Amino acid sequence: MNAYITLDGKKYVTLHKDWSPTQENPRSIRHTSLGAADVTYATGTLYVWEGTIVAKYTPATGFGSFADLMTSLAKKSSLSFTDHLGVSQNVVATGPFKPKCDIPNWDSPSASFQVPVKLTKV
């Protein structure tokens, strides 16, 4: 198991307290006029990783910077992704991406950014 994920070829740390890989069965639910639930399930499964990615302004060797992360998240195409277990797939990132910095000086070499993301397997 890795202590990081890889997104678009760069390594990033995630916050363990909120990083959650999930599987979801696509479905539609509606209520009939008699009040009963009418549920239809699709055959596939959605795989989603949601949580906070941490990126440094000046990262350690092999890790992506805050600028690298924001550039990758802004792409309107699929990204290569490897989870903590070393499983690779392609994902799309959806926002809004609202970075928070741990210090007031965003361009300080020691600045660390927390960016909430949602990655969905394509």
Side-chain angles (χ1 to χ4, degrees):
M1 186 178 306
N2 297 319
Y4 57 85
I5 61 165
T6 304
L7 184 65
D8 208 18
K10 307 280 185 181
K11 296 178 190 174
Y12 298 98
V13 175
T14 60
L15 290 183
H16 73 280
K17 66 182 178 180
D18 73 350
W19 188 256
S20 60
T22 59
Q23 296 179 26
E24 186 176 322
N25 295 321
R27 67 205 175 277
S28 69
I29 302 172
R30 67 182 182 98
H31 289 88
T32 66
S33 60
L34 296 176
D38 180 19
V39 183
T40 304
Y41 289 96
T43 57
T45 301
L46 290 175
Y47 295 92
V48 178
W49 294 263
E50 195 166 6
T52 304
I53 295 177
V54 179
K56 302 264 185 191
Y57 185 81
T58 306
T61 303
F63 283 79
S65 68
F66 173 64
D68 294 331
L69 177 60
M70 296 310 290
T71 299
S72 293
L73 295 176
K75 290 181 180 178
K76 295 179 179 162
S77 62
S78 64
L79 306 168
S80 62
F81 170 69
T82 305
D83 66 13
H84 290 91
L85 301 174
V87 179
S88 297
Q89 52 260 317
N90 288 323
V91 297
V92 291
T94 54
F97 308 114
K98 297 180 179 181
K100 294 180 182 176
C101 188
D102 63 345
I103 61 174
N105 188 1
W106 280 41
D107 61 353
S108 169
S110 63
S112 180
F113 297 85
Q114 296 179 358
V115 184
V117 299
K118 182 176 181 179
L119 306 174
T120 305
K121 181 179 177 180
V122 292

